[in-house]
Amino acid sequence: MKFGVSPFGIWRPGNPPQIKGLDAYATLYADSRLWLANGWVDYLAPQLYWPIDDVPHSFPVLLNWWVQQNVKGRQVFAGLSAVNVGDKFSSNEIARQIQMTRVQSGASGEIYFHLKNLVDDSALNGIIRAQNFQPALMPAMPWLNSNSPDQPKLFVTINARTNLVARWEITTNQMLKSWILQCCGTNNLWTTQILPANQTGCTFTSWMPDIISVSAVDRFGNISSPATVKKSSQPPVRNGKGKLYAN
């Protein structure tokens, strides 16, 4: 089980010095800094629902303060307020906050409140998609388990329609969450897909990548070493000798 909390974004006014606002410690009786500092949570997502330029509640100043409290090396996600877009600030503010989160050392990513706004607001949805054009995994939680899954086995064949078929498996009885399928094609460009654990194959109907790589991901976010095959420079001849892809 992974346990996390999204507390009010200000622990106590004056922490850091320029910050003003509700004293969650004294008013809500929530010592969220203690939870993070003691490692009692797997992640903390403080509600940083203010604009970057709001000095008494500055988004980057608060985010920097929170990651400094993370002495146990847990995960700190910036809580972004999608619900405030169009009311208190523009969708471009969210884009700026995403970029600030990415350059903040110790920040693990961002979480949005709430999903309905991402679905209903096409402009906001488009901005978030533009900022997240590649799929990403949740960061690993090594304090729960740091053992990586075994390397998968990867098999590549050609079916009756001359389509390339990739199949993979893991021989040990390990509980997986997903697979990472990465392919390299023209101009050395890579694509990445995160596939569910019950999907153990795919068919390439329109192209044949130069490299195919598959890694296993367990429930704690640990990633195995990749199983990789490369397109052979000497394709098979009619008598069946040779391989189209080789390890």
Side-chain angles (χ1 to χ4, degrees), residues 180-220:
I180 304 173
L181 173 64
Q182 295 177 294
C183 301
C184 180
T186 307
N187 298 324
N188 201 34
L189 295 177
W190 286 86
T191 62
T192 299
Q193 297 181 67
I194 300 175
L195 306 175
N198 61 359
Q199 181 174 343
T200 55
C202 69
T203 301
F204 298 86
T205 58
S206 58
W207 70 304
M208 289 189 177
D210 295 330
I211 305 173
I212 303 172
S213 176
V214 175
S215 303
V217 184
D218 68 14
R219 294 173 297 166
F220 304 100

Side-chain angles (χ1 to χ4, degrees), residues 11-65:
W11 175 60
R12 304 202 75 174
N15 293 271
Q18 75 186 63
I19 298 301
K20 300 177 182 179
L22 175 72
D23 189 336
Y25 179 91
T27 305
L28 304 178
Y29 309 106
D31 193 351
S32 47
R33 178 189 175 277
L34 180 69
W35 310 337
L36 179 62
N38 284 4
W40 294 344
V41 294
D42 294 311
Y43 72 86
L44 200 79
Q47 300 170 18
L48 306 180
Y49 295 168
W50 301 279
I52 292 169
D53 299 326
D54 183 353
V55 175
H57 317 94
S58 172
F59 173 90
V61 171
L62 282 167
L63 178 59
N64 180 66
W65 183 86

Side-chain angles (χ1 to χ4, degrees), residues 138-185:
M138 283 286 293
M141 296 185 172
W143 55 90
L144 296 179
N145 186 311
S146 60
N147 299 318
S148 297
D150 292 338
Q151 184 185 56
K153 290 186 176 181
L154 176 60
F155 311 92
V156 176
T157 57
I158 301 294
N159 65 14
R161 297 183 178 182
T162 67
N163 293 325
L164 183 67
V165 179
R167 294 282 183 267
W168 51 84
E169 64 180 28
I170 197 163
T171 56
T172 54
N173 186 25
Q174 293 176 296
M175 296 292 291
L176 299 181
K177 181 179 181 180
S178 54
W179 304 95
I180 304 173
L181 173 64
Q182 295 177 294
C183 301
C184 180

